[in-house]
Amino acid sequence: MQKKSENHRANRALPTNGVDWLHNPIFNKGTAFTEAERDALGLRGLLPPHVQSMDEQVQRVMNNFRSKSSDLERYIQLVALQDRNETLFYRVVMDYLEEMMPIIYTPTVGKACQEFGHIFRRSRGFYISSNDKGQMEKMLHHWPTRDVKVIVVTDGERILGLGDLGASGMGIPIGKLSLYTACAGIHPTQCLPITIDVGTDNETLLKDPLYTGLRQRRIRGEAYDALIEEFMVAVEKNFPGVLVQFEDFGNSNAFRLLARYQDQACTFNDDIQGTGSVALAGVLSALHLTRGKLSDQRVLFLGAGEAGIGIAENIVNVLVGAGLTPAEARKRCWFVDSKGLIVKSRTDLSAHKQHYAHDHAPCTDLLSAVKSIKPTMLIGVSGQPKTFTQEIVKIMGSLNERPVIFALSNPTSKAECTAEEAYTWTEGRAVFASGSPFAPVTIAGKTHVPGQGNNAYIFPGVGLGIVSTGARRVTESMFIAAARTLASLIRKEELAEGRVYPSLKRIHEVSLAIAIAVAEEVYAKNLNTQPRPADLPSYIRSQMFKPEYPDYVKK
Ligand code: NAD
């Protein structure tokens, strides 16, 4: 029998009979259990006689996957596989990542969250509700292992660009953690998806008999803060040093909670900091194509929420690093929110917007702001589809030889413009990236490959760097290091196609490089709790999960 310490399955008790081996997704090999294993583990008779190779199993999964009639069906198929056989699930997702990413993450995961109660099969992850107040530390003992390294938590208030989906938002932490494993090899058993259900203000869900969450309006204010505080204490007690990623919280809670916990716990907010980092990498790559300097840019954001402010803060940090004062650096970033251009004379600005309120006459809409500010880069993070109109994109094209246009709102239906629109309206001159994937576009015989500003380029590698060093905190400088590393990895031939990000096919190389850069930051700031290994790259590589079946019975 295999020694328990030999792989990531080590922290789980071995099944005790044949049926349990088949029903435990961590240990199950399905039809790939060998003859020897069938004899030793009590499996003979419980499986069809032919022993399949893993390659044959992958082929079967892919045949089924490609024969489904909708992406939601594909999502359901993959979730069922994950529940049945985790090793095979990750082998498929890792081997076919470009095909799988839009299913296990945006845009399909958004649809899955909207339909969550209706497609629900089997519970995955951990639910804490406001009814559990006072019990969190104890109830987390129900999770089957103490060896948890990464938690992704949501309260479901701002799922992608889809708004408040309450407890149905659970698809997001599950999907993000699948990407931690698929992109950076964080062991699946060390990942814990959590939803904190404080209610929902979504009327449709409140009236839906199949909704899986609490039927109450959202708790806010002090009662909400007390729940989050109890949660942070409870996870640290149960899983000391665990990395906690906040995901898809509503705007005001997201900024407040980040400010409150980033110096107290090992935590970050992906919507603010991960987005800031991946978009900064896109901006730095775009400058290779436009041959511009960051300090010469005028960046206009549509949307001044978590994503927009997160991106601007990173641009400002880089400019300050290059010698500008914070005030000078912020002048390079302009914002239009739902009320128009953010300017000094406005009296309705929240704290995070006030830093970016410049002296300028009011503009009530994006078109007049574009005409007046004359941006070199236009970045959409508003969740408002079709707002980069033909007129606006054409003006960007007349102002700039290579206008930089990032339509980052998710899912695809919320994008500010499509790749085809951006390229067509600028005669193929736009440097374009989006939040959800778009297919390449051919104009006058030249094919343009749009970049997908997918946070999955950043957070898995950052997480691997944090986990490998046992970092005590997550700092802004780690996200800047991650962005610079990502931008440095893009190849000349990828840039020539118009890409501002490397191909997703290279994601393991990208995540490893980011993990090394983040680890260097951790050591530089003395935030590590584990000694530095002699050969850092080899050590981090050795930590990465591989989707391979072990031999449970040694010959
Ligand atoms: P948020 O709710 O924090 O912010 C949305 C902002 O848009 C707010 O400032 C709001 O005032 C503004 N807004 C709303 N309606 C507007 C209008 N008509 N005109 C101008 N501004 C308007 O949300 P967020 O976290 O910043 O996310 C925004 C969008 O960005 C979402 O669609 C999300 O999916 C997307 N996003 C993409 C990525 C990525 O591509 N990597 C990452 C994170 C978020």
Side-chain angles (χ1 to χ4, degrees):
M1 186 75 55
Q2 191 196 35
K3 288 233 177 62
K4 279 173 75 178
S5 59
E6 275 175 20
N7 59 48
H8 76 284
R9 297 163 183 83
N11 54 29
R12 302 288 171 103
L14 288 173
T16 51
N17 63 53
V19 170
D20 286 352
W21 278 95
L22 290 178
H23 288 174
N24 188 321
I26 297 167
F27 296 95
N28 188 16
K29 295 165 68 168
T31 51
F33 277 114
T34 61
E35 296 287 357
E37 286 168 335
R38 292 173 189 220
D39 281 334
L41 307 177
L43 286 161
R44 196 156 288 285
L46 299 177
L47 286 160
H50 174 64
V51 176
Q52 279 188 313
S53 67
M54 201 177 200
D55 287 345
E56 286 169 332
Q57 290 182 314
V58 170
Q59 195 54 54
R60 185 185 60 219
V61 172
M62 289 311 295
N63 288 351
N64 281 328
F65 182 84
R66 288 173 180 154
S67 71
K68 300 276 177 212
S69 56
S70 74
D71 284 343
L72 190 59
E73 298 245 335
R74 292 184 184 95
Y75 177 89
I76 292 168
Q77 180 204 351
L78 289 177
V79 169
L81 177 61
Q82 192 175 17
D83 285 343
R84 211 167 54 236
N85 181 339
E86 225 165 45
T87 318
L88 184 58
F89 168 80
Y90 281 111
R91 170 72 193 278
V92 168
V93 170
M94 286 160 120
D95 280 6
Y96 295 89
L97 192 62
E98 281 183 300
E99 207 172 338
M100 296 294 150
M101 184 88 90
I103 308 297
I104 61 171
Y105 210 65
T106 182
T108 309
V109 74
K111 178 85 182 141
C113 288
Q114 287 175 311
E115 303 280 329
F116 195 78
H118 296 248
I119 62 171
F120 184 87
R121 261 81 170 162
R122 183 175 174 173
S123 191
R124 172 171 281 273
F126 200 85
Y127 290 88
I128 294 171
S129 86
S130 48
N131 293 345
D132 299 319
K133 191 161 170 26
Q135 315 236 31
M136 291 183 207
E137 188 187 329
K138 209 169 66 192
M139 66 194 272
L140 277 164
H141 293 209
H142 298 159
W143 192 251
T145 172
R146 300 304 88 201
D147 185 25
V148 172
K149 298 291 184 204
V150 187
I151 288 172
V152 176
V153 60
T154 190
D155 73 354
E157 189 173 9
R158 200 242 58 193
I159 296 299
L160 303 171
L162 300 168
D164 182 353
L165 296 184
S168 300
M170 182 54 119
I172 296 293
I174 291 172
K176 284 254 155 151
L177 283 165
S178 298
L179 295 181
Y180 266 103
T181 302
C183 299
I186 305 275
H187 289 173
T189 57
Q190 295 182 322
C191 297
L192 171 52
I194 297 186
T195 287
I196 302 179
D197 183 357
V198 297
T200 179
D201 293 339
N202 181 325
E203 295 297 337
T204 313
L205 290 178
L206 287 172
K207 284 187 203 131
D208 182 351
L210 296 183
Y211 174 55
T212 53
L214 293 181
R215 277 133 175 89
Q216 66 180 39
R217 299 211 160 266
R218 278 188 179 275
I219 289 175
R220 300 197 183 272
E222 280 175 25
Y224 176 90
D225 286 0
L227 281 172
I228 302 293
E229 175 66 17
E230 185 185 339
F231 166 76
M232 291 300 282
V233 171
V235 292
E236 181 58 30
K237 284 225 167 107
N238 273 273
F239 316 111
V242 67
L243 171 64
V244 180
Q245 173 179 326
F246 279 73
E247 185 68 37
D248 286 2
F249 281 67
N251 189 310
S252 59
N253 287 331
F255 283 110
R256 216 187 55 252
L257 295 175
L258 177 62
R260 176 152 174 192
Y261 290 109
Q262 68 182 345
D263 296 328
Q264 280 181 33
C266 184
T267 188
F268 73 99
N269 181 303
D270 190 54
D271 306 297
I272 301 172
Q273 295 164 289
T275 306
S277 182
V278 78
L280 173 64
V283 165
L284 296 176
S285 297
L287 292 175
H288 288 301
L289 288 166
T290 63
R291 298 200 168 79
K293 275 173 63 186
L294 189 58
S295 53
D296 293 337
Q297 304 307 305
R298 281 179 308 283
V299 187
L300 179 60
F301 293 89
L302 181 69
E306 296 167 54
I309 299 288
I311 300 167
E313 293 287 294
N314 271 0
I315 292 176
V316 167
N317 280 334
V318 172
L319 288 172
V320 168
L324 269 67
T325 65
E328 285 167 345
R330 287 199 182 105
K331 282 196 181 124
R332 273 67 181 174
C333 298
W334 292 81
F335 284 89
V336 170
D337 68 6
S338 54
K339 311 244 167 48
L341 189 64
I342 293 188
V343 290
K344 273 235 164 88
S345 55
R346 276 179 56 178
T347 54
D348 58 345
L349 299 174
S350 55
H352 60 268
K353 293 182 186 178
Q354 278 168 16
H355 291 305
Y356 293 94
H358 307 308
D359 270 323
H360 193 281
C363 292
T364 51
D365 58 82
L366 180 64
L367 177 63
S368 49
V370 168
K371 284 181 179 163
S372 177
I373 304 297
K374 301 189 176 27
T376 54
M377 300 186 167
L378 183 61
I379 300 184
V381 272
S382 61
Q384 303 299 312
K386 302 281 163 212
T387 35
F388 292 175
T389 59
Q390 184 167 2
E391 187 177 8
I392 286 172
V393 172
K394 278 188 172 281
I395 294 175
M396 285 298 294
S398 67
L399 291 169
N400 304 284
E401 195 185 320
R402 301 288 316 260
V404 177
I405 298 176
F406 289 180
L408 296 182
S409 287
N410 293 318
T412 319
S413 61
K414 302 282 180 184
E416 284 80 4
C417 68
T418 65
E420 187 161 13
E421 287 166 346
Y423 292 126
T424 311
W425 294 337
T426 59
E427 308 85 31
R429 289 179 295 121
V431 178
F432 178 81
S434 54
S436 298
F438 280 105
V441 177
T442 303
I443 295 176
K446 179 162 170 38
T447 299
H448 306 266
V449 184
Q452 188 194 351
N454 192 328
N455 291 29
Y457 281 115
I458 298 289
F459 68 81
V462 170
L464 181 62
I466 300 281
V467 169
S468 303
T469 52
R472 283 179 280 118
R473 299 285 178 271
V474 189
T475 63
E476 299 298 340
S477 61
M478 295 175 194
F479 286 99
I480 305 272
R484 285 192 197 280
T485 305
L486 178 57
S488 74
L489 289 173
I490 186 146
R491 295 179 178 145
K492 274 204 179 98
E493 57 275 21
E494 288 170 329
L495 275 175
E497 292 176 322
R499 288 178 191 266
V500 290
Y501 297 104
S503 160
L504 271 178
K505 289 194 179 77
R506 297 171 56 209
I507 192 71
H508 294 119
E509 171 200 342
V510 167
S511 297
L512 179 61
I514 288 177
I516 294 166
V518 167
E520 292 293 1
E521 259 315 292
V522 174
Y523 296 126
K525 299 239 157 51
N526 280 324
L527 287 170
N528 53 307
T529 57
Q530 287 161 27
R532 185 189 174 112
D535 181 346
L536 183 64
S538 302
Y539 171 73
I540 295 183
R541 196 180 293 111
S542 74
Q543 300 293 296
M544 293 168 81
F545 164 80
K546 289 181 197 62
E548 292 162 354
Y549 290 137
D551 266 336
Y552 292 115
V553 179
K554 292 276 190 253
K555 289 176 196 97

